Structure formats: structure tokens, C-alpha cells
Amino acid sequence: MPKETSNITSIRSAATSAIVPARNEEASIAGCIKSLAHEPEIAEILVVNDQSTDKTAEIVRGLMTGIPNLRLLETQGVPEGWVGKNHAVALGASEATNSWLLFTDADAEHEPGAAAKALQVAQETNAALVSFSPEQVMEKWYEKALIPFIYCRLARKFSYDAVNDPACPDAAANGQFLMIRRDAYDAVGGHASVAAEVLEDVALARRIKSAGYRLAFHSGKGIVRVRMYRSFASMWEGWTKNLYMLIGGTPKSVFREIASTFPWIVLLVLLLGIKFPFAMFAGVWLLIFRQMNYGSELRRNQFPFSLILYYVPAVALYAGVLWTSYRRHARGKVAWKGREYPVQAQGTLK
């Protein structure tokens, strides 16, 4: 029987294990757990406390009395060759007992019916891996500037249609909501096979697709929502950890991306406007034109058109975080939540 069509009988009623890695997530862990607890398809919730130094574990223990299918697991450090999150979710998967595994982040809140929707998509498409790109919750100006801009750029690289086409080699997933059939997960080696990958979700999706299984990757608007970062520092660290690899992972891709996104001509015309007033007028109109184009892209990616107001800081932040991401990868180390991880740089800029 073909791999992509196996084990799909009664898939909508399949029991699911939710696995939540948590490292210093006291601000968001309760909301995530409570949203999962209302999903009848989720038979167990496994929170893996990854050596938190805040009240994460205490909050989970407090919820266990009212949520009988909630369990708390503890990591004992990060083994050599592993990224901390990958080790945590691998531990959770080893304890899970159901035919579907839902890997989700501690800052994700699931709308009612989210798990059922994923299982329905799996049945309709024969997918072994279903992933949703969550709706982004943004409160601060820097979130509204950088996050939509990045997602619009990534939408160009990771097209849903291409990822979902079994004849196309493109593969992607979002680890904030990644549901995978247990047999497919085990067949490709699980998270142990991507132990050292900073972009473990994309790496796992590539392994799944290359093994002959189908992917289903879609927008998560109305299904799952996430506030990714609650400070500028955490946002900067988070994106510098993985943006370089997301846009291609080569110095050439960095130059190409900055050259195509930064409004060089607009800036030049505005500078000429210091001496020639007409150039200033033309530069302003060119900038408005760029903003309108960005607004169209925002709408296509289900962000509010009004976020065009953040276009200028968005471009500046994007260029800065991408360059910083490249430099950190070139040095061979990235940092996340108090840990440093080695990465393999693919070339350096001269």
C-alpha cells in the first residue's frame, strides 16, 4: 500500500498526543494548555519542561488537578549534538501513546476545533504531516513592523501550493503547529534525525516529503494564534537565530534579499531632493508606491492593510536582523534562551 494512503481509516476520530516544549514560558503556558484541553481529539497533553528557571513547571502542576490528561515531563540537560527544543519534543514523543503527534509551542493558543481541522485536512489530502502557519498576535510597534514583513517574504519562498504538491520538491512546516502521523514520524527517525537543526520544522518536513509522504501546509488564521515575542530583545534573538537559513542560508541569498527589499532608488531620489526639490517630491511618491505594493502583499498574506504605516521601520529592521543572522551563522554559533548552538556556515562574505 502506498505510504501516503496508509492508516487513514477513521482518521477524524484518531487520538492525538499534544507535545509542548517549554523553557521559561510562564507568561503563556497556561493559555496554551487550556486551549488544548478543550480539544476532544487530544487524548493527552505532554508538557516538557526544559530546565525552566521561572514558574513554568509550577503553573503546569497547578493545572494538572483540573486537566487529568495533562502530564509534566522534565529534561535533564541537552545532550551533545542536540538543540534544546528538539531534545524536549523528542522526549515528549517517546512518551506519547497515540497515533497522531501534535507538536506545538507554549505561546500558541488553539481555537476550538483546531485539532479536528488538522485531522480533516489529513483525511482529505492523505497527508502524513499537517502544519498551520499561525495567526500572529502583535501588540508593540516593532512586532507590527518586522513580523508581517518577514512572513510576506517567506510566503514568496515557501508557497503553500508548492509545498502541498507531491510532485514538487519544496517542503516546509511551522513548528508552532505541526501534526504528524506517528508511523511516518518514526519511519524518518523523528526529531533524532534533525537533532542539531535550528530549523527543525522545515528539516523534518523535508525528510517526510523525501520519504514519499504527503505534506499539507496552510494558513492558520482562525485555527491557531501566537504572540511569538514579548520584547524587542527576544524578537531580535529569535529571528537572528533562523532568518539566515530561512531565506537560503548562503551569503549570496543575503545580498540578493537585501538588494530586492531595501528601497535603494527611493533613498537615492530623496537624498537628491536635498538639492533638487522636485526630486524630493518624486521620492515621496516612489515611497508611497512601495507602501501600496506592500499593502497588497499584506492583504494576500492575511495581515491588515493598515500595517503599511510600518513599512519604513520594517525594511530597516529586516535588513538589520538578516545581516545579524548571517554574521552569527558565519561565526558558527547562534543563541536562544540562554543557550548557544553550533551551526554550520555555508560560506562567508569577503
Side-chain angles (χ1 to χ4, degrees), residues 167-214:
C168 178
D170 291 6
N174 190 313
Q176 295 165 326
F177 189 111
L178 193 160
M179 182 181 283
I180 186 169
R181 212 171 60 219
R182 183 59 188 254
D183 66 298
Y185 179 78
D186 290 340
V188 301
H191 280 88
S193 67
V194 295
E197 295 283 352
V198 174
L199 287 176
E200 86 293 336
D201 45 9
V202 176
L204 187 60
R206 286 174 178 158
R207 291 186 64 83
I208 287 289
K209 195 168 190 179
S210 64
Y213 298 97
R214 286 180 179 265

mmCIF file of all heavy atoms in Angstrom, residues 167-214:
data_model
loop_
_atom_site.group_PDB
_atom_site.id
_atom_site.type_symbol
_atom_site.label_atom_id
_atom_site.label_comp_id
_atom_site.label_asym_id
_atom_site.label_seq_id
_atom_site.Cartn_x
_atom_site.Cartn_y
_atom_site.Cartn_z
ATOM 1 N N ALA A 167 4.469 16.436 -6.350
ATOM 2 C CA ALA A 167 5.419 16.379 -7.463
ATOM 3 C C ALA A 167 6.501 17.445 -7.363
ATOM 4 O O ALA A 167 7.470 17.425 -8.114
ATOM 5 C CB ALA A 167 4.676 16.535 -8.781
ATOM 6 N N CYS A 168 6.337 18.378 -6.424
ATOM 7 C CA CYS A 168 7.300 19.471 -6.241
ATOM 8 C C CYS A 168 8.189 19.155 -5.040
ATOM 9 O O CYS A 168 7.698 18.714 -3.999
ATOM 10 C CB CYS A 168 6.560 20.782 -6.033
ATOM 11 S SG CYS A 168 7.654 22.198 -5.751
ATOM 12 N N PRO A 169 9.489 19.377 -5.136
ATOM 13 C CA PRO A 169 10.378 19.046 -4.029
ATOM 14 C C PRO A 169 10.297 20.010 -2.846
ATOM 15 O O PRO A 169 10.816 19.706 -1.761
ATOM 16 C CB PRO A 169 11.772 19.105 -4.667
ATOM 17 C CG PRO A 169 11.622 20.065 -5.804
ATOM 18 C CD PRO A 169 10.229 19.853 -6.329
ATOM 19 N N ASP A 170 9.652 21.169 -3.004
ATOM 20 C CA ASP A 170 9.581 22.145 -1.925
ATOM 21 C C ASP A 170 8.899 21.544 -0.698
ATOM 22 O O ASP A 170 7.873 20.863 -0.805
ATOM 23 C CB ASP A 170 8.805 23.380 -2.367
ATOM 24 C CG ASP A 170 9.555 24.197 -3.401
ATOM 25 O OD1 ASP A 170 10.620 23.728 -3.850
ATOM 26 O OD2 ASP A 170 9.078 25.289 -3.752
ATOM 27 N N ALA A 171 9.474 21.822 0.467
ATOM 28 C CA ALA A 171 8.907 21.311 1.723
ATOM 29 C C ALA A 171 9.059 22.363 2.812
ATOM 30 O O ALA A 171 10.065 23.065 2.878
ATOM 31 C CB ALA A 171 9.614 20.025 2.143
ATOM 32 N N ALA A 172 8.047 22.473 3.645
ATOM 33 C CA ALA A 172 8.079 23.424 4.755
ATOM 34 C C ALA A 172 7.020 23.038 5.767
ATOM 35 O O ALA A 172 6.077 22.300 5.461
ATOM 36 C CB ALA A 172 7.858 24.852 4.267
ATOM 37 N N ALA A 173 7.180 23.550 6.975
ATOM 38 C CA ALA A 173 6.202 23.374 8.037
ATOM 39 C C ALA A 173 6.491 24.427 9.093
ATOM 40 O O ALA A 173 7.563 25.036 9.101
ATOM 41 C CB ALA A 173 6.273 21.972 8.644
ATOM 42 N N ASN A 174 5.542 24.651 9.962
ATOM 43 C CA ASN A 174 5.713 25.603 11.056
ATOM 44 C C ASN A 174 5.589 24.841 12.376
ATOM 45 O O ASN A 174 4.540 24.257 12.660
ATOM 46 C CB ASN A 174 4.660 26.712 10.969
ATOM 47 C CG ASN A 174 4.937 27.855 11.925
ATOM 48 O OD1 ASN A 174 5.218 27.641 13.098
ATOM 49 N ND2 ASN A 174 4.857 29.075 11.429
ATOM 50 N N GLY A 175 6.679 24.849 13.147
ATOM 51 C CA GLY A 175 6.707 24.082 14.392
ATOM 52 C C GLY A 175 5.755 24.568 15.457
ATOM 53 O O GLY A 175 5.574 23.899 16.485
ATOM 54 N N GLN A 176 5.104 25.713 15.245
ATOM 55 C CA GLN A 176 4.123 26.193 16.206
ATOM 56 C C GLN A 176 2.829 25.377 16.138
ATOM 57 O O GLN A 176 2.067 25.339 17.090
ATOM 58 C CB GLN A 176 3.843 27.676 15.960
ATOM 59 C CG GLN A 176 5.068 28.540 16.231
ATOM 60 C CD GLN A 176 4.936 29.940 15.669
ATOM 61 O OE1 GLN A 176 4.323 30.162 14.614
ATOM 62 N NE2 GLN A 176 5.517 30.906 16.341
ATOM 63 N N PHE A 177 2.595 24.735 14.998
ATOM 64 C CA PHE A 177 1.505 23.769 14.856
ATOM 65 C C PHE A 177 1.933 22.767 13.803
ATOM 66 O O PHE A 177 1.831 23.029 12.604
ATOM 67 C CB PHE A 177 0.184 24.435 14.451
ATOM 68 C CG PHE A 177 -1.007 23.518 14.505
ATOM 69 C CD1 PHE A 177 -1.995 23.701 15.453
ATOM 70 C CD2 PHE A 177 -1.143 22.448 13.616
ATOM 71 C CE1 PHE A 177 -3.101 22.845 15.511
ATOM 72 C CE2 PHE A 177 -2.226 21.597 13.662
ATOM 73 C CZ PHE A 177 -3.208 21.787 14.618
ATOM 74 N N LEU A 178 2.393 21.638 14.251
ATOM 75 C CA LEU A 178 2.876 20.588 13.345
ATOM 76 C C LEU A 178 2.324 19.256 13.830
ATOM 77 O O LEU A 178 2.738 18.737 14.861
ATOM 78 C CB LEU A 178 4.408 20.578 13.324
ATOM 79 C CG LEU A 178 5.105 19.773 12.223
ATOM 80 C CD1 LEU A 178 6.547 20.270 12.063
ATOM 81 C CD2 LEU A 178 5.118 18.280 12.505
ATOM 82 N N MET A 179 1.336 18.735 13.096
ATOM 83 C CA MET A 179 0.729 17.454 13.442
ATOM 84 C C MET A 179 1.220 16.385 12.460
ATOM 85 O O MET A 179 1.169 16.584 11.255
ATOM 86 C CB MET A 179 -0.799 17.540 13.412
ATOM 87 C CG MET A 179 -1.483 16.235 13.827
ATOM 88 S SD MET A 179 -3.304 16.334 13.755
ATOM 89 C CE MET A 179 -3.653 17.255 15.252
ATOM 90 N N ILE A 180 1.697 15.275 12.988
ATOM 91 C CA ILE A 180 2.297 14.249 12.145
ATOM 92 C C ILE A 180 1.836 12.867 12.579
ATOM 93 O O ILE A 180 1.655 12.605 13.778
ATOM 94 C CB ILE A 180 3.844 14.351 12.200
ATOM 95 C CG1 ILE A 180 4.497 13.383 11.222
ATOM 96 C CG2 ILE A 180 4.374 14.163 13.599
ATOM 97 C CD1 ILE A 180 5.992 13.633 11.041
ATOM 98 N N ARG A 181 1.605 12.005 11.615
ATOM 99 C CA ARG A 181 1.213 10.636 11.914
ATOM 100 C C ARG A 181 2.395 9.898 12.533
ATOM 101 O O ARG A 181 3.525 10.001 12.056
ATOM 102 C CB ARG A 181 0.760 9.947 10.621
ATOM 103 C CG ARG A 181 -0.322 8.917 10.839
ATOM 104 C CD ARG A 181 -0.877 8.424 9.518
ATOM 105 N NE ARG A 181 0.156 7.812 8.699
ATOM 106 C CZ ARG A 181 0.241 7.963 7.377
ATOM 107 N NH1 ARG A 181 -0.619 8.734 6.744
ATOM 108 N NH2 ARG A 181 1.184 7.360 6.691
ATOM 109 N N ARG A 182 2.132 9.133 13.566
ATOM 110 C CA ARG A 182 3.204 8.507 14.333
ATOM 111 C C ARG A 182 4.064 7.562 13.487
ATOM 112 O O ARG A 182 5.287 7.539 13.607
ATOM 113 C CB ARG A 182 2.613 7.738 15.545
ATOM 114 C CG ARG A 182 3.659 7.096 16.454
ATOM 115 C CD ARG A 182 4.561 8.191 16.983
ATOM 116 N NE ARG A 182 5.702 7.716 17.719
ATOM 117 C CZ ARG A 182 5.795 7.795 19.050
ATOM 118 N NH1 ARG A 182 4.803 8.253 19.778
ATOM 119 N NH2 ARG A 182 6.888 7.420 19.645
ATOM 120 N N ASP A 183 3.444 6.796 12.625
ATOM 121 C CA ASP A 183 4.226 5.850 11.839
ATOM 122 C C ASP A 183 5.176 6.562 10.887
ATOM 123 O O ASP A 183 6.316 6.124 10.667
ATOM 124 C CB ASP A 183 3.306 4.887 11.073
ATOM 125 C CG ASP A 183 2.489 5.603 10.009
ATOM 126 O OD1 ASP A 183 1.698 6.487 10.370
ATOM 127 O OD2 ASP A 183 2.650 5.285 8.814
ATOM 128 N N ALA A 184 4.743 7.694 10.319
ATOM 129 C CA ALA A 184 5.613 8.468 9.432
ATOM 130 C C ALA A 184 6.744 9.115 10.224
ATOM 131 O O ALA A 184 7.900 9.151 9.769
ATOM 132 C CB ALA A 184 4.798 9.532 8.705
ATOM 133 N N TYR A 185 6.413 9.625 11.394
ATOM 134 C CA TYR A 185 7.415 10.245 12.272
ATOM 135 C C TYR A 185 8.519 9.241 12.611
ATOM 136 O O TYR A 185 9.716 9.537 12.499
ATOM 137 C CB TYR A 185 6.725 10.737 13.544
ATOM 138 C CG TYR A 185 7.637 11.385 14.565
ATOM 139 C CD1 TYR A 185 8.081 12.694 14.399
ATOM 140 C CD2 TYR A 185 8.015 10.688 15.713
ATOM 141 C CE1 TYR A 185 8.897 13.293 15.354
ATOM 142 C CE2 TYR A 185 8.824 11.279 16.666
ATOM 143 C CZ TYR A 185 9.267 12.587 16.487
ATOM 144 O OH TYR A 185 10.075 13.172 17.432
ATOM 145 N N ASP A 186 8.118 8.040 13.011
ATOM 146 C CA ASP A 186 9.104 7.010 13.366
ATOM 147 C C ASP A 186 9.896 6.545 12.146
ATOM 148 O O ASP A 186 11.096 6.258 12.237
ATOM 149 C CB ASP A 186 8.399 5.817 14.012
ATOM 150 C CG ASP A 186 7.847 6.147 15.398
ATOM 151 O OD1 ASP A 186 8.312 7.124 16.007
ATOM 152 O OD2 ASP A 186 6.942 5.414 15.856
ATOM 153 N N ALA A 187 9.234 6.486 10.992
ATOM 154 C CA ALA A 187 9.888 5.977 9.788
ATOM 155 C C ALA A 187 11.065 6.848 9.356
ATOM 156 O O ALA A 187 12.053 6.338 8.808
ATOM 157 C CB ALA A 187 8.879 5.854 8.661
ATOM 158 N N VAL A 188 10.977 8.173 9.587
ATOM 159 C CA VAL A 188 12.060 9.061 9.174
ATOM 160 C C VAL A 188 13.047 9.352 10.296
ATOM 161 O O VAL A 188 13.984 10.121 10.124
ATOM 162 C CB VAL A 188 11.510 10.390 8.604
ATOM 163 C CG1 VAL A 188 10.612 10.137 7.407
ATOM 164 C CG2 VAL A 188 10.790 11.198 9.677
ATOM 165 N N GLY A 189 12.835 8.732 11.464
ATOM 166 C CA GLY A 189 13.763 8.910 12.567
ATOM 167 C C GLY A 189 13.383 9.983 13.558
ATOM 168 O O GLY A 189 14.162 10.295 14.471
ATOM 169 N N GLY A 190 12.183 10.560 13.402
ATOM 170 C CA GLY A 190 11.710 11.549 14.353
ATOM 171 C C GLY A 190 12.646 12.738 14.484
ATOM 172 O O GLY A 190 13.419 13.066 13.577
ATOM 173 N N HIS A 191 12.592 13.393 15.620
ATOM 174 C CA HIS A 191 13.439 14.557 15.850
ATOM 175 C C HIS A 191 14.901 14.188 16.049
ATOM 176 O O HIS A 191 15.772 15.052 15.931
ATOM 177 C CB HIS A 191 12.914 15.370 17.031
ATOM 178 C CG HIS A 191 11.760 16.272 16.674
ATOM 179 N ND1 HIS A 191 10.448 15.842 16.726
ATOM 180 C CD2 HIS A 191 11.729 17.555 16.219
ATOM 181 C CE1 HIS A 191 9.653 16.834 16.351
ATOM 182 N NE2 HIS A 191 10.405 17.879 16.030
ATOM 183 N N ALA A 192 15.166 12.923 16.308
ATOM 184 C CA ALA A 192 16.563 12.497 16.407
ATOM 185 C C ALA A 192 17.270 12.676 15.065
ATOM 186 O O ALA A 192 18.488 12.909 15.017
ATOM 187 C CB ALA A 192 16.642 11.045 16.859
ATOM 188 N N SER A 193 16.515 12.595 13.987
ATOM 189 C CA SER A 193 17.106 12.735 12.652
ATOM 190 C C SER A 193 17.409 14.184 12.303
ATOM 191 O O SER A 193 18.119 14.469 11.331
ATOM 192 C CB SER A 193 16.172 12.142 11.596
ATOM 193 O OG SER A 193 14.983 12.905 11.482
ATOM 194 N N VAL A 194 16.863 15.132 13.081
ATOM 195 C CA VAL A 194 17.131 16.554 12.855
ATOM 196 C C VAL A 194 17.606 17.199 14.155
ATOM 197 O O VAL A 194 17.363 18.377 14.408
ATOM 198 C CB VAL A 194 15.873 17.278 12.311
ATOM 199 C CG1 VAL A 194 15.505 16.748 10.936
ATOM 200 C CG2 VAL A 194 14.681 17.125 13.266
ATOM 201 N N ALA A 195 18.313 16.419 14.962
ATOM 202 C CA ALA A 195 18.674 16.813 16.323
ATOM 203 C C ALA A 195 19.381 18.158 16.399
ATOM 204 O O ALA A 195 19.131 18.960 17.302
ATOM 205 C CB ALA A 195 19.538 15.730 16.967
ATOM 206 N N ALA A 196 20.292 18.429 15.481
ATOM 207 C CA ALA A 196 21.117 19.636 15.535
ATOM 208 C C ALA A 196 20.572 20.777 14.684
ATOM 209 O O ALA A 196 21.207 21.832 14.589
ATOM 210 C CB ALA A 196 22.545 19.308 15.095
ATOM 211 N N GLU A 197 19.394 20.586 14.080
ATOM 212 C CA GLU A 197 18.848 21.588 13.173
ATOM 213 C C GLU A 197 18.161 22.717 13.946
ATOM 214 O O GLU A 197 17.274 22.474 14.759
ATOM 215 C CB GLU A 197 17.837 20.952 12.217
ATOM 216 C CG GLU A 197 18.430 19.926 11.266
ATOM 217 C CD GLU A 197 19.183 20.574 10.113
ATOM 218 O OE1 GLU A 197 19.110 21.824 9.975
ATOM 219 O OE2 GLU A 197 19.819 19.837 9.349
ATOM 220 N N VAL A 198 18.557 23.954 13.670
ATOM 221 C CA VAL A 198 17.878 25.105 14.262
ATOM 222 C C VAL A 198 16.484 25.248 13.664
ATOM 223 O O VAL A 198 15.516 25.575 14.358
ATOM 224 C CB VAL A 198 18.708 26.382 14.053
ATOM 225 C CG1 VAL A 198 17.949 27.603 14.541
ATOM 226 C CG2 VAL A 198 20.048 26.275 14.773
ATOM 227 N N LEU A 199 16.349 24.988 12.361
ATOM 228 C CA LEU A 199 15.049 24.985 11.687
ATOM 229 C C LEU A 199 14.520 23.557 11.621
ATOM 230 O O LEU A 199 14.399 22.957 10.554
ATOM 231 C CB LEU A 199 15.176 25.561 10.288
ATOM 232 C CG LEU A 199 15.369 27.072 10.169
ATOM 233 C CD1 LEU A 199 15.577 27.470 8.726
ATOM 234 C CD2 LEU A 199 14.201 27.830 10.771
ATOM 235 N N GLU A 200 14.203 23.020 12.756
ATOM 236 C CA GLU A 200 13.841 21.602 12.816
ATOM 237 C C GLU A 200 12.521 21.312 12.112
ATOM 238 O O GLU A 200 12.318 20.226 11.569
ATOM 239 C CB GLU A 200 13.772 21.144 14.278
ATOM 240 C CG GLU A 200 12.468 21.343 15.017
ATOM 241 C CD GLU A 200 12.097 22.808 15.263
ATOM 242 O OE1 GLU A 200 13.004 23.665 15.286
ATOM 243 O OE2 GLU A 200 10.907 23.107 15.437
ATOM 244 N N ASP A 201 11.596 22.293 12.101
ATOM 245 C CA ASP A 201 10.301 22.060 11.454
ATOM 246 C C ASP A 201 10.448 21.892 9.943
ATOM 247 O O ASP A 201 9.892 20.963 9.352
ATOM 248 C CB ASP A 201 9.306 23.178 11.794
ATOM 249 C CG ASP A 201 9.915 24.580 11.695
ATOM 250 O OD1 ASP A 201 11.054 24.715 11.200
ATOM 251 O OD2 ASP A 201 9.233 25.545 12.108
ATOM 252 N N VAL A 202 11.220 22.773 9.324
ATOM 253 C CA VAL A 202 11.457 22.673 7.884
ATOM 254 C C VAL A 202 12.254 21.410 7.564
ATOM 255 O O VAL A 202 11.964 20.695 6.601
ATOM 256 C CB VAL A 202 12.185 23.918 7.363
ATOM 257 C CG1 VAL A 202 12.522 23.774 5.875
ATOM 258 C CG2 VAL A 202 11.331 25.174 7.583
ATOM 259 N N ALA A 203 13.264 21.120 8.392
ATOM 260 C CA ALA A 203 14.090 19.930 8.162
ATOM 261 C C ALA A 203 13.261 18.658 8.266
ATOM 262 O O ALA A 203 13.419 17.730 7.460
ATOM 263 C CB ALA A 203 15.240 19.896 9.160
ATOM 264 N N LEU A 204 12.358 18.592 9.249
ATOM 265 C CA LEU A 204 11.513 17.415 9.406
ATOM 266 C C LEU A 204 10.548 17.283 8.225
ATOM 267 O O LEU A 204 10.322 16.172 7.712
ATOM 268 C CB LEU A 204 10.738 17.495 10.719
ATOM 269 C CG LEU A 204 9.924 16.255 11.111
ATOM 270 C CD1 LEU A 204 10.811 15.030 11.262
ATOM 271 C CD2 LEU A 204 9.151 16.521 12.408
ATOM 272 N N ALA A 205 9.996 18.403 7.772
ATOM 273 C CA ALA A 205 9.096 18.366 6.620
ATOM 274 C C ALA A 205 9.825 17.855 5.379
ATOM 275 O O ALA A 205 9.260 17.087 4.593
ATOM 276 C CB ALA A 205 8.516 19.761 6.361
ATOM 277 N N ARG A 206 11.068 18.260 5.203
ATOM 278 C CA ARG A 206 11.839 17.786 4.049
ATOM 279 C C ARG A 206 12.066 16.284 4.114
ATOM 280 O O ARG A 206 11.973 15.583 3.103
ATOM 281 C CB ARG A 206 13.175 18.527 3.999
ATOM 282 C CG ARG A 206 13.054 19.973 3.520
ATOM 283 C CD ARG A 206 14.369 20.698 3.634
ATOM 284 N NE ARG A 206 14.248 22.072 3.115
ATOM 285 C CZ ARG A 206 15.059 23.061 3.436
ATOM 286 N NH1 ARG A 206 16.078 22.847 4.263
ATOM 287 N NH2 ARG A 206 14.885 24.273 2.919
ATOM 288 N N ARG A 207 12.353 15.783 5.296
ATOM 289 C CA ARG A 207 12.565 14.342 5.441
ATOM 290 C C ARG A 207 11.272 13.574 5.169
ATOM 291 O O ARG A 207 11.288 12.521 4.519
ATOM 292 C CB ARG A 207 13.097 14.024 6.838
ATOM 293 C CG ARG A 207 14.522 14.514 7.081
ATOM 294 C CD ARG A 207 15.049 14.036 8.425
ATOM 295 N NE ARG A 207 15.146 12.579 8.467
ATOM 296 C CZ ARG A 207 16.159 11.880 7.984
ATOM 297 N NH1 ARG A 207 17.178 12.488 7.394
ATOM 298 N NH2 ARG A 207 16.175 10.562 8.083
ATOM 299 N N ILE A 208 10.162 14.096 5.659
ATOM 300 C CA ILE A 208 8.874 13.443 5.448
ATOM 301 C C ILE A 208 8.541 13.392 3.955
ATOM 302 O O ILE A 208 8.165 12.337 3.407
ATOM 303 C CB ILE A 208 7.761 14.177 6.224
ATOM 304 C CG1 ILE A 208 7.892 13.909 7.739
ATOM 305 C CG2 ILE A 208 6.381 13.764 5.743
ATOM 306 C CD1 ILE A 208 7.544 12.505 8.158
ATOM 307 N N LYS A 209 8.698 14.516 3.270
ATOM 308 C CA LYS A 209 8.332 14.564 1.856
ATOM 309 C C LYS A 209 9.282 13.725 1.009
ATOM 310 O O LYS A 209 8.850 13.024 0.089
ATOM 311 C CB LYS A 209 8.325 16.005 1.365
ATOM 312 C CG LYS A 209 7.616 16.169 0.020
ATOM 313 C CD LYS A 209 7.350 17.620 -0.316
ATOM 314 C CE LYS A 209 6.435 17.755 -1.524
ATOM 315 N NZ LYS A 209 6.145 19.169 -1.853
ATOM 316 N N SER A 210 10.578 13.765 1.329
ATOM 317 C CA SER A 210 11.538 12.986 0.552
ATOM 318 C C SER A 210 11.341 11.489 0.755
ATOM 319 O O SER A 210 11.748 10.685 -0.085
ATOM 320 C CB SER A 210 12.965 13.388 0.913
ATOM 321 O OG SER A 210 13.255 13.071 2.265
ATOM 322 N N ALA A 211 10.692 11.101 1.862
ATOM 323 C CA ALA A 211 10.417 9.688 2.115
ATOM 324 C C ALA A 211 9.140 9.212 1.417
ATOM 325 O O ALA A 211 8.772 8.040 1.538
ATOM 326 C CB ALA A 211 10.310 9.429 3.614
ATOM 327 N N GLY A 212 8.452 10.116 0.713
ATOM 328 C CA GLY A 212 7.284 9.709 -0.060
ATOM 329 C C GLY A 212 5.952 10.001 0.596
ATOM 330 O O GLY A 212 4.910 9.597 0.073
ATOM 331 N N TYR A 213 5.957 10.709 1.706
ATOM 332 C CA TYR A 213 4.713 11.075 2.377
ATOM 333 C C TYR A 213 4.232 12.443 1.883
ATOM 334 O O TYR A 213 5.019 13.275 1.445
ATOM 335 C CB TYR A 213 4.899 11.122 3.893
ATOM 336 C CG TYR A 213 5.291 9.813 4.528
ATOM 337 C CD1 TYR A 213 6.627 9.528 4.804
ATOM 338 C CD2 TYR A 213 4.327 8.875 4.869
ATOM 339 C CE1 TYR A 213 6.993 8.329 5.399
ATOM 340 C CE2 TYR A 213 4.681 7.672 5.463
ATOM 341 C CZ TYR A 213 6.017 7.403 5.727
ATOM 342 O OH TYR A 213 6.379 6.215 6.306
ATOM 343 N N ARG A 214 2.955 12.680 2.020
ATOM 344 C CA ARG A 214 2.378 13.957 1.616
ATOM 345 C C ARG A 214 2.425 14.973 2.759
ATOM 346 O O ARG A 214 2.290 14.610 3.940
ATOM 347 C CB ARG A 214 0.921 13.781 1.172
ATOM 348 C CG ARG A 214 0.761 13.111 -0.195
ATOM 349 C CD ARG A 214 -0.707 12.987 -0.536
ATOM 350 N NE ARG A 214 -0.906 12.369 -1.841
ATOM 351 C CZ ARG A 214 -1.075 13.026 -2.979
ATOM 352 N NH1 ARG A 214 -1.072 14.340 -2.968
ATOM 353 N NH2 ARG A 214 -1.259 12.385 -4.109
#
